[in-house]
């Protein structure tokens, strides 16, 4: 029965997001997280419901509320995204690619970087996206994740048709500051 309740709550929360009631939607999702985590029986159903929520309207419409949200609501959103897990990474990266507001971009970047290695793994397929904005955002996020793991994946972007994608790849290599990055850049 809890699975059915969780599915209903998530569907309702998604509907709330569509009409602009983000606070109420986040409260419902917080409840699913709080009630689903302690119980081993509920945990898989809560995870499935959160995954469904992450693929719904929340991620597509998150930029406007992030522009004006106070710190408490931003932290709440961040908690929800991390509870949803990797399913929220690609949609958040898409929103980041399209967002122009500096505050919302910083918050989205911080949420994505908070995923750590899981985030880097989820962003790598976006390097081959059809949209140049997505490729540029993927290069930017790989740079933000840091480390030497994603350096070789930036090489094809150095020859991208879009100059802004090339620039982001060059910046990613230069700002990495490692010998490996310098060798890749000089070779390219």
């Amino acid at each position: 029965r809890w699975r059915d309740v969780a599915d209903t709550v998530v569907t309702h929360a998604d509907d709330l997001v569509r009409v602009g009631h983000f606070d109420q939607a986040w409260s419902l999702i917080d409840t699913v997280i709080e009630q689903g985590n302690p119980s081993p029986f509920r945990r898989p159903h809560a995870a499935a419901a959160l995954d469904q929520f992450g693929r719904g309207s929340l991620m597509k419409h998150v930029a406007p509320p992030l522009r004006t949200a106070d710190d408490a609501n931003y932290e709440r959103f961040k908690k929800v995204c991390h509870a949803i897990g990797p399913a929220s990474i690609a949609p958040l990266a898409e929103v980041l690619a399209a967002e122009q507001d500096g505050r919302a971009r910083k918050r989205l970047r911080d949420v994505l970087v908070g995923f750590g290695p899981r985030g880097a793994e989820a962003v790598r397929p976006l390097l081959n996206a059809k949209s140049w904005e997505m490729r540029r955002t993927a290069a930017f996020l790989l740079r933000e994740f840091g480390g030497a793991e994603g350096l070789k994946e930036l090489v094809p972007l150095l020859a991208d048709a879009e100059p802004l994608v090339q620039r982001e790849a060059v910046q990613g290599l230069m700002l990495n500051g490692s010998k490996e990055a310098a060798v890749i850049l000089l070779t390219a």
Side-chain angles (χ1 to χ4, degrees):
R1 294 190 73 196
W2 200 85
R3 180 196 66 208
D4 296 338
V5 170
D7 286 344
T8 301
V9 167
V10 165
T11 301
H12 184 62
D14 198 50
D15 290 342
L16 287 169
V17 167
R18 284 190 202 130
V19 296
H21 297 289
F22 289 94
D23 288 339
Q24 293 87 345
W26 289 344
S27 293
L28 288 173
I29 296 306
D30 278 342
T31 303
V32 170
I33 293 167
E34 290 168 9
Q35 297 299 314
N37 280 339
S39 168
F41 172 74
R42 292 178 179 175
R43 198 171 298 127
H45 303 300
L50 289 171
D51 187 62
Q52 175 189 345
F53 186 67
R55 297 177 196 281
S57 295
L58 171 70
M59 299 306 160
K60 295 174 187 163
H61 299 90
V62 74
L66 280 180
R67 293 177 195 146
T68 59
D70 61 10
D71 290 340
N73 281 330
Y74 164 65
E75 289 300 323
R76 181 190 226 177
F77 171 73
K78 193 164 138 181
K79 176 184 163 193
V80 167
C81 289
H82 287 276
I84 291 169
S88 65
I89 295 171
L92 286 175
E94 288 179 30
V95 172
L96 178 62
E99 182 57 35
Q100 300 298 317
D101 181 72
R103 183 176 189 191
R105 285 186 61 79
K106 180 184 181 320
R107 287 179 164 185
L108 286 165
R109 180 190 59 101
D110 290 346
V111 169
L112 287 164
V113 169
F115 280 101
R118 292 185 312 165
E121 287 301 317
V123 165
R124 282 189 178 91
L126 300 177
L127 291 169
N128 300 317
K130 289 182 181 180
S131 163
W132 69 268
E133 290 100 344
M134 283 303 301
R135 293 191 307 273
R136 182 182 72 174
T137 300
F140 168 75
L141 288 170
L142 281 178
R143 179 183 80 197
E144 292 296 310
F145 287 122
E149 297 83 33
L151 293 178
K152 291 181 181 175
E153 292 164 352
L154 294 175
V155 172
L157 298 181
L158 294 171
D160 196 276
E162 176 58 45
L164 293 174
V165 175
Q166 293 175 8
R167 187 177 97 189
E168 197 65 54
V170 169
Q171 282 182 334
L173 291 168
M174 290 177 61
L175 294 175
N176 184 274
S178 68
K179 288 183 181 182
E180 295 165 339
V183 168
I184 291 171
L185 193 57
L186 289 173
T187 303

